[in-house]
Amino acid sequence: MSIAAPARARSDRLWFWVFCGPFVLGLLVFVYVPVAWSVYLSFFDARNTVTPTRFVGLGNYAYLLTNRAFLVSMGTFVVFAVLIVPTTFALSLGLALLVARARFAQAFFRSAFFLPTACSYVVAALVWRLSIFNGARFGLINSALRALGQDPVAWLSGEHYLYWVVLVSLRLWLQAGFYMVLFLAGLQRIPTDTYEAAALDGATGWRVVRWITLPQLRATSVAVLLLLTIGAFQAFDEFYNTLISVGSYPPYARPPLVYLYLVSLGQGTQDLGVGSAGTVILTLVVAALGVGQLRLLRERREAA
């Protein structure tokens, strides 16, 4: 071993910490320390303060798991996940297949479908609420309905379940392009000679998609399904900015994060102990869903 080797190793470690040290420090200060403090705070009564005041053990967890409003918010998540996960998966996969086979302007279509991903959730929610699905006569969809001889619809009034159309279409517009790019990356990894062999055997159309494309996209599909499920659990901006009115949020369509936000920081309660317990419960549920989903898909792959 030459004498310069230890000096080079020390130099590499030095430059590693010069470049990565600030990010590691930021991760510790702004992510892991708050997470650890939130877990600690969940065992205490902490109202209007981030400082623990009285130890309550699992009292905050027991309160949430028997609280009807929290359980209803979990039901809202289930409905939203059932609606948004399969529709986003199917739409993004369909767009990826169409764009991958486009013979011209492929880069344009890829950019056009991906562009909404860069849009702010808050801005998109306001556009959906104030322009497209405005319940007044001049709303875009209501104008189209009046042109067809139909009555205007109060989309966000809560008198019916049509507010799900607003929320699901908003999330679809924002995220379908992102997952389309993931599927495009997966499609590019499929060897072209596989398709050529299938063509020689006479396979075309849906048979190629069913027996070649979809099996080859299994790893990408698992990742997309997992990200979609976690993303459904993290839904906040589109619900909050679409449905909130002056100083209040309606009692319907409250996903878990909106409910915990109102408990922790809104409506004058600021019960941070209960809010922290809720975030721990959500984290455990998301982790359980992710692990269960991965195990189920792995068992199906092994059985295939």
Side-chain angles (χ1 to χ4, degrees):
M1 177 181 296
S2 66
I3 299 176
R8 177 176 298 177
R10 286 195 298 272
S11 176
D12 290 343
R13 285 196 297 270
L14 174 63
W15 284 112
F16 171 80
W17 286 111
V18 166
F19 286 107
C20 297
F23 296 101
V24 173
L25 182 62
L27 195 65
L28 288 173
V29 172
F30 296 108
V31 177
Y32 290 112
V33 170
V35 168
W37 187 254
S38 180
V39 174
Y40 179 68
L41 200 63
S42 67
F43 298 104
F44 290 85
D45 182 17
R47 298 174 187 271
N48 302 315
T49 177
V50 295
T51 303
T53 53
R54 185 172 59 88
F55 182 74
V56 296
L58 298 176
N60 290 330
Y61 293 92
Y63 168 76
L64 282 175
L65 294 176
T66 57
N67 182 273
R68 185 178 182 278
F70 180 71
L71 298 178
V72 169
S73 74
M74 297 294 286
T76 300
F77 152 71
V78 173
V79 173
F80 186 58
V82 168
L83 292 174
I84 198 65
V85 171
T87 51
T88 306
F89 184 91
L91 179 61
S92 56
L93 177 60
L95 288 176
L97 293 174
L98 291 175
V99 171
R101 296 184 179 183
R103 297 184 180 276
F104 61 92
Q106 189 181 89
F108 167 77
F109 289 118
R110 186 186 302 156
S111 302
F113 289 129
F114 182 76
L115 194 59
T117 305
C119 182
S120 165
Y121 274 56
V122 177
V123 173
L126 292 177
V127 170
W128 247 246
R129 172 181 176 176
L130 300 177
S131 177
I132 299 178
F133 287 98
N134 195 310
R137 291 168 54 86
F138 52 81
L140 181 61
I141 301 298
N142 279 347
S143 297
L145 290 176
R146 286 194 299 112
L148 297 173
Q150 303 296 320
D151 295 329
V153 176
W155 296 94
L156 302 174
S157 66
E159 299 173 354
H160 36 63
Y161 293 105
L162 289 177
Y163 58 83
W164 284 114
V165 176
V166 183
L167 297 169
V168 170
S169 62
L170 173 58
R171 174 63 78 95
L172 275 176
W173 184 78
L174 285 167
Q175 291 199 343
F178 172 76
Y179 294 107
M180 177 202 72
V181 171
L182 297 186
F183 279 122
L184 281 173
L187 289 172
Q188 291 175 354
R189 297 184 60 184
I190 301 176
T192 54
D193 54 358
T194 306
Y195 288 111
E196 293 171 355
L200 291 176
D201 290 337
T204 57
W206 169 247
R207 294 177 63 189
V208 174
V209 175
R210 170 66 181 84
W211 297 108
I212 296 179
T213 304
L214 293 181
Q216 295 286 337
L217 285 176
R218 182 176 288 114
T220 305
S221 300
V222 171
V224 169
L225 286 173
L226 188 59
L227 291 174
L228 284 171
T229 306
I230 295 174
F233 233 120
Q234 295 174 336
F236 178 85
D237 286 321
E238 59 268 62
F239 280 85
Y240 191 78
N241 293 290
T242 302
L243 294 174
I244 192 171
S245 57
V246 181
S248 65
Y249 189 94
Y252 57 89
R254 289 186 178 187
L257 287 185
V258 170
Y259 170 76
L260 293 175
Y261 171 79
L262 295 175
V263 169
S264 301
L265 301 173
Q267 297 182 341
T269 57
Q270 296 194 357
D271 194 337
L272 297 176
V274 172
S276 299
T279 59
V280 174
I281 293 173
L282 292 183
T283 303
L284 294 176
V285 172
V286 170
L289 284 175
V291 172
Q293 190 177 33
L294 289 175
R295 292 191 62 177
L296 179 63
L297 292 173
R298 183 181 303 169
E299 290 175 358
R300 288 187 175 181
R301 183 176 58 186
E302 293 174 352

